[in-house]
């Protein structure tokens, strides 16, 4: 049997853990640079759609007393680790699916009451972390997803846990699930299936295998079999990183090349440090710049370019040099830019690469970078910077509604007065 544990309104729940007064009140979480709404509590959903631009919904926030927060990924990441650590106590087979979801595999649980086991998971996670979760258990991963939706939709009737453990429950759950809500079926496939009168998951599970394979590839066929109760989607193997990115929107639009050069240089330094931390090399660098798509009164512009490195590297010196070269290739005067990014790809292990007889990385770079990384870890991130980066931190991301990092910063720890 598979289980899916999903944190309810995770980002909003993280805020409520440390501010219980927010329980029952509408909460909206904003994206980087306070751009748009990326998460909502149930109380907020009737007023604010997902992806709503924050600047266009200021009046609605105030009218409906919506509590708005800047995204606090340090807090969310730490709370996620706590949830996953708690889940690992219930089974050794755990697959972290996202920051707020995890699949569990229950092998040898034939004599267990899995519904009570699911309720125990909910109670333990809530007690240890303060985060409410819903638990779905079924013979396959796709059915566990649907069981989870049922547990979340009817928490009082299910006790926050639902088990699909017989054919009657499976068919009833599939008929209840709209085709657009099936895990793994995107918008385009949903439109095509609805046009064929395949409106729910049960009708999809009854389709011809040949049609599904031809039109939805082997991935769609595995999903169909999973919905039929035939386990076809197992735990995924942990894959190495394909790319590392640093992309940001600017607080204000930029038009001068020197300002963009500083941003690109800073982003290059960030991805290079991540590569070194993970003991990886990159073999290609992508740089993009773009205007503000919400300002249709201004000229729109988007360009990107990819440069292959001459040798595998994680050196800030080399990555920064190539990133600035890429910027020179795509920059255009007269444009007000709102966002830029540096993405490194073709990633390979840093301890296994082909040496070059002639040329290659300056061996002194790694010695310098080791010292810089060590000092930044000791005295504070980005205290030691390159001259091409801003030395005054004038390019600070807009995070006007940022909550304290209660679990990751000493200065933000909650003080409890015991009398």
């Amino acid at each position: 049997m598979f289980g899916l544990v999903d944190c309810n309104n995770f980002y909003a729940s993280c805020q409520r853990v440390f501010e219980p007064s927010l329980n029952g009140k509408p909460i909206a979480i904003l994206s980087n640079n306070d751009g748009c709404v990326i998460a909502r509590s149930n109380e907020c959903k009737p007023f604010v759609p997902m992806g709503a631009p924050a600047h266009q919904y200021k009046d609605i926030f105030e009218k409906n007393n919506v509590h708005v927060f800047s995204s606090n990924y340090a807090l969310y990441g730490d709370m996620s680790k706590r949830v996953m650590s708690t889940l690992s106590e219930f089974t050794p087979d755990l697959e972290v699916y996202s920051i707020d979801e995890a699949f569990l595999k229950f092998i040898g649980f034939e004599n267990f009451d899995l519904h009570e086991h699911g309720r125990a998971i909910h109670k333990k996670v809530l007690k240890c972390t303060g985060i409410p979760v819903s638990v779905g258990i079924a013979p396959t991963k796709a059915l566990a997803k649907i069981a989870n939706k049922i547990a979340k939709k009817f928490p009082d009737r299910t006790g926050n846990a639902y088990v699909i453990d017989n054919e009657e429950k499976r068919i009833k759950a599939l008929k209840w699930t709209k085709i657009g809500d099936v895990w793994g079926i995107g918008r385009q496939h949903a439109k095509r299936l609805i046009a064929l009168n395949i409106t729910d998951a049960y009708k999809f599970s009854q389709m011809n295998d040949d049609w599904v394979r031809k039109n939805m590839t082997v991935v769609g066929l595995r999903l169909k079999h999973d919905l039929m109760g035939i386990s076809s989607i197992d735990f995924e193997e942990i894959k190495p990183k394909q790319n590392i990115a640093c992309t940001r929107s600017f607080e204000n639009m930029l038009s001068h090349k020197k300002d963009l050069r500083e941003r690109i240089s800073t982003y290059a330094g960030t991805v290079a440090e991540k590569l070194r931390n993970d003991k990886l090399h990159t073999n290609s660098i992508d740089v993009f710049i773009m205007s503000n798509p919400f300002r249709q009164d201004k000229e729109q512009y988007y360009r990107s370019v990819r440069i292959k490195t001459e040798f595998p590297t994680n050196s800030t010196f080399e990555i920064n040099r190539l990133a600035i070269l890429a910027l020179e290739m795509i920059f255009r005067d007269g444009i007000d830019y709102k966002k830029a990014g540096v993405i490194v790809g073709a990633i390979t292990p840093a301890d296994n690469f082909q040496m070059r007889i002639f040329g290659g990385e300056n061996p002194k770079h790694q010695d310098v970078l080791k010292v810089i990384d060590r000092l930044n870890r000791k005295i504070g991130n980005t205290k030691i910077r390159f001259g091409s980066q801003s030395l005054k931190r004038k390019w600070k991301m807009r995070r006007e509604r940022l909550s304290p990092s209660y679990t990751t910063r000493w200065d933000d720890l909650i003080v409890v007065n015991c009398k």
Side-chain angles (χ1 to χ4, degrees), residues 15-176:
Q15 302 293 161
R16 286 172 169 166
V17 169
F18 301 97
E19 295 184 57
S21 60
L22 296 175
N23 288 330
K25 298 179 180 179
I27 298 174
I29 309 296
L30 304 182
S31 62
N32 282 335
N33 221 32
D34 291 351
C36 60
V37 176
I38 59 171
R40 305 160 298 164
S41 65
N42 290 335
E43 298 81 2
C44 179
K45 292 177 181 179
F47 314 122
V48 182
M50 184 68 80
H55 68 279
Q56 295 180 6
Y57 278 76
K58 286 184 177 179
D59 293 340
I60 294 178
F61 290 153
E62 294 179 3
K63 179 181 178 181
N64 296 283
N65 297 315
V66 177
H67 297 262
V68 184
F69 293 92
S70 303
S71 51
N72 189 339
Y73 293 115
L75 175 63
Y76 306 152
D78 185 69
M79 293 301 293
S80 176
K81 290 179 182 178
R82 296 176 185 224
V83 170
M84 301 308 167
S85 176
T86 304
L87 293 179
S88 66
E89 298 177 14
F90 289 87
T91 174
D93 298 307
L94 176 73
E95 177 189 69
V96 178
Y97 184 66
S98 66
I99 192 171
D100 62 345
E101 288 180 281
F103 282 104
L104 290 73
K105 188 182 291 186
F106 299 111
I107 299 174
F109 283 70
E110 290 79 10
N111 297 321
F112 279 69
D113 183 335
L114 288 177
H115 181 252
E116 287 301 316
H117 199 61
R119 294 185 64 181
I121 292 174
H122 167 80
K123 292 178 181 178
K124 184 67 177 289
V125 173
L126 184 63
K127 179 180 179 180
C128 293
T129 68
I131 302 294
V133 300
S134 299
V135 184
I137 301 175
T140 70
K141 290 177 76 173
L143 288 174
K145 268 276 190 179
I146 293 177
N148 182 275
K149 288 180 180 292
I150 295 173
K152 185 174 292 188
K153 182 71 174 179
F154 308 104
D156 295 333
R157 290 164 56 182
T158 63
N160 299 287
Y162 187 74
V163 182
I164 297 176
D165 53 4
N166 58 49
E167 191 67 2
E168 181 182 355
K169 285 184 177 180
R170 183 187 74 85
I171 294 174
K172 185 177 180 180
L174 293 185
K175 289 182 176 180
W176 175 79

Side-chain angles (χ1 to χ4, degrees), residues 201-304:
Y202 179 71
K203 290 181 179 179
F204 175 68
S205 70
Q206 298 298 107
M207 293 187 74
N208 180 273
D209 279 3
D210 293 336
W211 187 95
V212 175
R213 185 185 182 100
K214 179 180 178 180
N215 293 276
M216 301 178 66
T217 73
V218 69
V219 176
L221 185 59
R222 288 173 183 163
L223 174 60
K224 173 183 178 293
H225 289 169
D226 240 45
L227 294 173
M228 293 170 63
I230 304 169
S231 183
S232 304
I233 306 174
D234 207 338
F235 278 12
E236 296 181 1
E237 295 182 3
I238 298 177
K239 299 179 180 178
K241 291 183 178 179
Q242 301 298 311
N243 56 62
I244 295 176
C246 181
T247 66
R248 298 285 188 275
S249 295
F250 312 135
E251 182 175 0
N252 300 304
M253 289 186 288
L254 308 177
S255 57
H256 298 295
K257 186 189 294 186
K258 64 180 180 64
D259 294 333
L260 278 174
R261 187 184 294 117
E262 188 279 324
R263 288 289 78 204
I264 293 296
S265 180
T266 297
Y267 300 164
T270 298
V271 296
E273 184 178 1
K274 290 181 179 179
L275 284 169
R276 294 194 295 275
N277 288 340
D278 293 338
K279 296 180 173 55
L280 299 171
H281 276 156
T282 181
N283 292 271
S284 73
I285 299 169
D286 291 71
V287 174
F288 75 85
I289 51 177
M290 63 181 293
S291 55
N292 189 344
F294 295 106
R295 291 294 302 271
Q296 295 299 319
D297 57 318
K298 294 183 176 292
E299 184 178 357
Q300 296 297 303
Y301 181 79
Y302 173 87
R303 287 293 183 275
S304 64

